[in-house]
Amino acid sequence: MSELSDLYAQIRDCTLCSLARARARAVPGEGPEDAAVMFIGEAPGFHEDKSGRPFVGAAGRFLEELLASVNLTREQVYIANVIKCRPPGNRDPLPDEIEACQPYLDRQIELIRPQMVITLGRFSMARYFPGSKISVIHGRARKINGVLYYPMYHPAAALHQPKLRRTVEEDMAKIPELLAEIDQIRDGQQPTDVQQLSLF
Ligand code: URA
């Protein structure tokens, strides 16, 4: 068993917070063990809880459309969530739930070692950019310890708001160029050779 499948087994059996009691299935995440790009959403919803897979409902279909717009498929990227079990009624994750689940996501990132981590929505953004506002930093990449972090709005939020939808599409469109330039981007700084990109 690979370390990642071992981690999935631990997540499926996890009882560290009260969400374990109400879940149908935990949703560890999925994708290639050597994925260059990792998306981090918020929490499983109804369909994810039923299937045990991330982003399989309406937001997932939109995410797949967004990936296709930059010639990516969901099979090529890794998809995870900040918390692995569905909060009742899809309410926001609570701080103690996020804290209990944090070691799982940390370990996933350690094992996959993605070059680029794309946060979807406020909760995954807050892990890497505490105190930042998504309306200010979305679509702006920052390299920290060799990994490029890129905050985007959550696809579910963008689904029904035409303005946000355009923003998400525009932010997604920048990903291929960021990936192509990733080695030239310096940690924590604005590189001179990719100034056309929004970096902070
Ligand atoms: N929204 C998320 O943040 N994650 C999922 O897996 C599905 C919807």
PDB file of all heavy atoms in Angstrom, residues 41-45 48 54-55 59 81 154, ligand 1:
ATOM      1  N   GLY A  41     -10.311  22.594  -2.335  1.00  0.00           N
ATOM      2  CA  GLY A  41     -11.635  23.184  -2.124  1.00  0.00           C
ATOM      3  C   GLY A  41     -11.916  23.336  -0.644  1.00  0.00           C
ATOM      4  O   GLY A  41     -10.997  23.365   0.190  1.00  0.00           O
ATOM      5  N   GLU A  42     -13.219  23.382  -0.325  1.00  0.00           N
ATOM      6  CA  GLU A  42     -13.605  23.675   1.054  1.00  0.00           C
ATOM      7  C   GLU A  42     -13.972  22.385   1.808  1.00  0.00           C
ATOM      8  O   GLU A  42     -13.239  21.963   2.705  1.00  0.00           O
ATOM      9  CB  GLU A  42     -14.799  24.632   0.989  1.00  0.00           C
ATOM     10  CG  GLU A  42     -15.346  25.064   2.295  1.00  0.00           C
ATOM     11  CD  GLU A  42     -16.491  26.057   2.104  1.00  0.00           C
ATOM     12  OE1 GLU A  42     -16.331  26.993   1.292  1.00  0.00           O
ATOM     13  OE2 GLU A  42     -17.528  25.888   2.749  1.00  0.00           O
ATOM     14  N   ALA A  43     -15.057  21.774   1.402  1.00  0.00           N
ATOM     15  CA  ALA A  43     -15.557  20.590   2.113  1.00  0.00           C
ATOM     16  C   ALA A  43     -16.457  19.817   1.174  1.00  0.00           C
ATOM     17  O   ALA A  43     -17.023  20.393   0.246  1.00  0.00           O
ATOM     18  CB  ALA A  43     -16.363  21.031   3.335  1.00  0.00           C
ATOM     19  N   PRO A  44     -16.615  18.517   1.422  1.00  0.00           N
ATOM     20  CA  PRO A  44     -17.544  17.755   0.596  1.00  0.00           C
ATOM     21  C   PRO A  44     -18.967  18.288   0.752  1.00  0.00           C
ATOM     22  O   PRO A  44     -19.349  18.767   1.819  1.00  0.00           O
ATOM     23  CB  PRO A  44     -17.453  16.340   1.175  1.00  0.00           C
ATOM     24  CG  PRO A  44     -16.202  16.302   1.995  1.00  0.00           C
ATOM     25  CD  PRO A  44     -15.960  17.696   2.456  1.00  0.00           C
ATOM     26  N   GLY A  45     -19.745  18.193  -0.313  1.00  0.00           N
ATOM     27  CA  GLY A  45     -21.176  18.508  -0.262  1.00  0.00           C
ATOM     28  C   GLY A  45     -21.970  17.207  -0.331  1.00  0.00           C
ATOM     29  O   GLY A  45     -21.429  16.114  -0.106  1.00  0.00           O
ATOM     30  N   GLU A  48     -20.637  14.543  -2.895  1.00  0.00           N
ATOM     31  CA  GLU A  48     -19.310  14.061  -2.508  1.00  0.00           C
ATOM     32  C   GLU A  48     -19.428  13.110  -1.321  1.00  0.00           C
ATOM     33  O   GLU A  48     -18.757  12.074  -1.268  1.00  0.00           O
ATOM     34  CB  GLU A  48     -18.399  15.254  -2.157  1.00  0.00           C
ATOM     35  CG  GLU A  48     -18.039  16.120  -3.359  1.00  0.00           C
ATOM     36  CD  GLU A  48     -19.131  17.067  -3.817  1.00  0.00           C
ATOM     37  OE1 GLU A  48     -20.037  17.365  -2.997  1.00  0.00           O
ATOM     38  OE2 GLU A  48     -19.093  17.514  -4.984  1.00  0.00           O
ATOM     39  N   PRO A  54     -14.211  13.903  -4.410  1.00  0.00           N
ATOM     40  CA  PRO A  54     -14.339  15.357  -4.352  1.00  0.00           C
ATOM     41  C   PRO A  54     -14.913  15.942  -5.649  1.00  0.00           C
ATOM     42  O   PRO A  54     -14.699  15.387  -6.733  1.00  0.00           O
ATOM     43  CB  PRO A  54     -12.883  15.819  -4.187  1.00  0.00           C
ATOM     44  CG  PRO A  54     -12.079  14.762  -4.884  1.00  0.00           C
ATOM     45  CD  PRO A  54     -12.831  13.468  -4.646  1.00  0.00           C
ATOM     46  N   PHE A  55     -15.621  17.042  -5.510  1.00  0.00           N
ATOM     47  CA  PHE A  55     -16.085  17.823  -6.663  1.00  0.00           C
ATOM     48  C   PHE A  55     -16.763  16.966  -7.736  1.00  0.00           C
ATOM     49  O   PHE A  55     -16.304  16.905  -8.884  1.00  0.00           O
ATOM     50  CB  PHE A  55     -14.911  18.622  -7.270  1.00  0.00           C
ATOM     51  CG  PHE A  55     -14.601  19.874  -6.484  1.00  0.00           C
ATOM     52  CD1 PHE A  55     -13.605  19.877  -5.511  1.00  0.00           C
ATOM     53  CD2 PHE A  55     -15.322  21.049  -6.691  1.00  0.00           C
ATOM     54  CE1 PHE A  55     -13.332  21.016  -4.762  1.00  0.00           C
ATOM     55  CE2 PHE A  55     -15.054  22.205  -5.946  1.00  0.00           C
ATOM     56  CZ  PHE A  55     -14.053  22.182  -4.984  1.00  0.00           C
ATOM     57  N   ALA A  59     -20.633  22.053  -8.708  1.00  0.00           N
ATOM     58  CA  ALA A  59     -19.364  22.796  -8.657  1.00  0.00           C
ATOM     59  C   ALA A  59     -18.250  22.008  -9.351  1.00  0.00           C
ATOM     60  O   ALA A  59     -17.370  22.569  -9.999  1.00  0.00           O
ATOM     61  CB  ALA A  59     -18.981  23.088  -7.204  1.00  0.00           C
ATOM     62  N   ASN A  81      -9.756  18.743  -0.361  1.00  0.00           N
ATOM     63  CA  ASN A  81     -10.533  19.746   0.358  1.00  0.00           C
ATOM     64  C   ASN A  81      -9.872  20.050   1.692  1.00  0.00           C
ATOM     65  O   ASN A  81      -9.106  19.229   2.212  1.00  0.00           O
ATOM     66  CB  ASN A  81     -11.948  19.224   0.644  1.00  0.00           C
ATOM     67  CG  ASN A  81     -12.856  19.296  -0.578  1.00  0.00           C
ATOM     68  OD1 ASN A  81     -13.035  20.367  -1.161  1.00  0.00           O
ATOM     69  ND2 ASN A  81     -13.398  18.162  -0.971  1.00  0.00           N
ATOM     70  N   HIS A 154     -14.223  30.237  -5.232  1.00  0.00           N
ATOM     71  CA  HIS A 154     -14.758  28.883  -5.306  1.00  0.00           C
ATOM     72  C   HIS A 154     -15.703  28.778  -6.513  1.00  0.00           C
ATOM     73  O   HIS A 154     -16.540  29.656  -6.714  1.00  0.00           O
ATOM     74  CB  HIS A 154     -15.521  28.562  -4.017  1.00  0.00           C
ATOM     75  CG  HIS A 154     -15.761  27.104  -3.842  1.00  0.00           C
ATOM     76  ND1 HIS A 154     -16.647  26.404  -4.619  1.00  0.00           N
ATOM     77  CD2 HIS A 154     -15.209  26.200  -3.000  1.00  0.00           C
ATOM     78  CE1 HIS A 154     -16.640  25.137  -4.256  1.00  0.00           C
ATOM     79  NE2 HIS A 154     -15.770  24.986  -3.271  1.00  0.00           N
TER      80      HIS A 154
HETATM   81  N1  URA B   1     -17.152  21.998  -2.904  1.00  0.00           N
HETATM   82  C1  URA B   1     -15.969  21.786  -2.323  1.00  0.00           C
HETATM   83  O1  URA B   1     -15.339  22.689  -1.792  1.00  0.00           O
HETATM   84  N2  URA B   1     -15.468  20.569  -2.344  1.00  0.00           N
HETATM   85  C2  URA B   1     -16.067  19.553  -2.935  1.00  0.00           C
HETATM   86  O2  URA B   1     -15.526  18.469  -2.925  1.00  0.00           O
HETATM   87  C3  URA B   1     -17.314  19.808  -3.543  1.00  0.00           C
HETATM   88  C4  URA B   1     -17.847  21.038  -3.514  1.00  0.00           C
END
